[in-house]
């Protein structure tokens, strides 16, 4: 069933519109789990991401996430990130060393943009303020698509942006919760109250193909194979295509979009820190949205 294009909404990035993504099913999620969901009750093996991003490096990338000015202070811990990543064993573990580092840089860049508290003249620069927010600022609505009968809204619940990727809409919360072991329709608040689940929703989104969209993971590790429609739409592999997957309807096929440039700024910084080149096609200026 085709979904309507969600309306723009306010977010931590200059209250700009960000994630408005249709997630149709959880069937593309990472198949190999380590037990129960909800951030507990399982014993994951160490995530490969910990060999790329140490706790010390994580702290240096997100210098201000625990500042008093950041509403998410104390929420996005390194331990929660690593535990969540362990549920997706192909994350940061596919391809050569450079591909693995580039994927991690891309993931961290996207969630940094979605949760940034930075500004142009911010202390330590605009790209040191990722993971500052855990919930959307001043939601415009409850983000309930009442036409979706597969993932019906629960009375009184709001499906506004929450967590590192700012997951939103009932048709995203429902399948995310089903895949991860929580009730996303009746308890969407858990994404902003449990840091493990918050990171899990971001990684679930990252790893899960949807409809005609590849997963962000597939794009960053070289598994994306464009079809005729993708070729016609100039949807070429690279960080720009990931931005298209995340928020292409509002940011792609337009010149000089500030949100796209902010995402690229984070990505360049993280690639530099990890010692890897950024790869091709950084923006989606000439790409048609999915």
């Amino acid at each position: 069933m085709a979904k309507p294009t969600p309306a723009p909404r306010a977010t931590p990035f200059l209250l700009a519109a960000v994630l408005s993504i249709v997630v149709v099913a959880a069937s593309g999620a990472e198949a190999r789990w380590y037990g129960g969901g909800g951030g507990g009750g399982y014993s994951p093996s160490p995530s490969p991401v910990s060999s790329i991003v140490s706790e010390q490096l994580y702290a240096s990338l997100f210098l201000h996430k625990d500042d008093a000015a950041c509403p998410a202070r104390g929420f996005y811990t390194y331990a929660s990130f690593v535990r969540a990543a362990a549920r997706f064993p192909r994350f940061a573990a596919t391809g050569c060393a450079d591909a693995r580092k580039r994927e991690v840089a891309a993931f961290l860049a996207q969630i940094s943009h979605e949760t940034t508290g930075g500004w142009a003249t911010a202390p330590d620069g605009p790209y040191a303020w990722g993971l500052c927010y855990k919930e959307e600022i001043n939601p415009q609505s409850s983000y309930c698509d009442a036409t979706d009968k597969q993932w019906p809204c629960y009375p009184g619940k709001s499906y506004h942006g929450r967590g590192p990727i700012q997951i939103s809409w009932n048709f995203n919360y429902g399948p995310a919760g089903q895949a991860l072991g929580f009730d996303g329709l009746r308890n969407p608040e858990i994404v902003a109250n449990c840091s493990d689940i918050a990171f899990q929703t971001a990684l679930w989104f990252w790893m899960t193909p949807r409809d005609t969209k590849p997963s962000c993971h597939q794009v960053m590790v070289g598994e994306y194979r464009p079809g005729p429609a993708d070729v016609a739409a100039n949807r070429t592999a690279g960080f720009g295509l990931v931005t298209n997957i995340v928020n292409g309807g509002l940011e792609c096929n337009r010149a000089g979009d500030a949100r796209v440039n902010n995402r690229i700024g984070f990505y360049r910084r993280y690639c530099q820190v990890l010692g890897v080149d950024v790869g091709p096609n950084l923006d989606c200026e000439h790409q048609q949205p999915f």
Side-chain angles (χ1 to χ4, degrees):
M1 173 180 171
K3 299 292 183 185
T5 301
R9 59 183 177 80
T11 64
F13 176 60
L14 302 179
L15 302 184
V18 285
L19 182 66
S20 303
I21 305 160
V22 175
V23 178
V24 178
S27 58
E30 181 66 48
R32 193 148 55 98
W33 302 105
Y34 291 95
Y42 65 97
S43 299
S45 300
S47 168
V49 77
S50 61
S51 67
I52 298 174
V53 179
S54 66
E55 187 167 8
Q56 182 179 10
L57 180 58
Y58 181 83
S60 73
L61 296 178
F62 302 105
L63 280 173
H64 296 283
K65 70 180 181 66
D66 296 324
D67 283 10
C70 285
R73 59 188 175 276
F75 186 70
Y76 293 118
T77 66
Y78 177 76
S80 292
F81 172 50
V82 172
R83 281 195 300 266
R87 294 196 65 173
F88 298 86
R90 296 189 71 230
F91 175 68
T94 307
C96 66
D98 281 359
R100 297 194 296 271
K101 291 178 180 179
R102 204 174 287 116
E103 179 184 18
V104 171
F107 174 78
L108 295 180
Q110 293 291 345
I111 66 172
S112 293
H113 168 81
E114 298 292 342
T115 59
T116 186
W119 63 99
T121 59
D124 301 304
Y127 308 121
W129 288 79
L131 300 183
C132 188
Y133 287 82
K134 62 177 181 177
E135 197 158 5
E136 181 181 348
I137 300 171
N138 299 323
Q140 296 177 352
S141 73
S142 63
Y143 295 94
C144 168
D145 177 6
T147 68
D148 193 308
K149 304 306 180 183
Q150 182 179 5
W151 307 108
C153 303
Y154 197 72
K157 294 298 180 179
S158 176
Y159 303 101
H160 60 266
R162 297 181 179 94
I165 204 70
Q166 291 288 284
I167 190 170
S168 58
W169 296 92
N170 52 305
F171 49 75
N172 288 335
Y173 276 93
Q178 184 180 76
L180 298 171
F182 70 93
D183 193 335
L185 296 177
R186 286 178 171 80
N187 188 21
E189 300 90 352
I190 197 171
V191 179
N193 293 330
C194 175
S195 55
D196 282 34
I197 290 178
F199 273 120
Q200 287 170 26
T201 61
L203 285 159
W204 170 82
F205 172 79
W206 186 264
M207 302 296 295
T208 306
R210 291 153 293 275
D211 249 358
T212 59
K213 294 182 181 181
S215 71
C216 300
H217 168 77
Q218 289 172 325
V219 171
M220 292 308 302
V221 302
E223 295 178 352
Y224 166 63
R225 300 292 181 268
D230 298 308
V231 173
N234 197 37
R235 292 194 285 259
T236 51
F239 183 75
L241 185 58
V242 172
T243 297
N244 197 338
I245 294 168
V246 173
N247 203 35
L250 296 175
E251 298 181 22
C252 297
N253 194 35
R254 62 185 68 197
D257 189 276
R259 296 160 294 185
V260 173
N261 292 335
N262 188 259
R263 296 177 195 273
I264 293 171
F266 276 112
Y267 181 56
R268 285 188 183 278
R269 180 189 174 217
Y270 297 154
C271 283
Q272 181 179 28
V273 170
L274 294 177
V276 65
D277 67 89
V278 297
N281 304 315
L282 288 181
D283 63 61
C284 57
E285 181 173 324
H286 302 293
Q287 294 182 19
Q288 293 291 329
F290 284 95

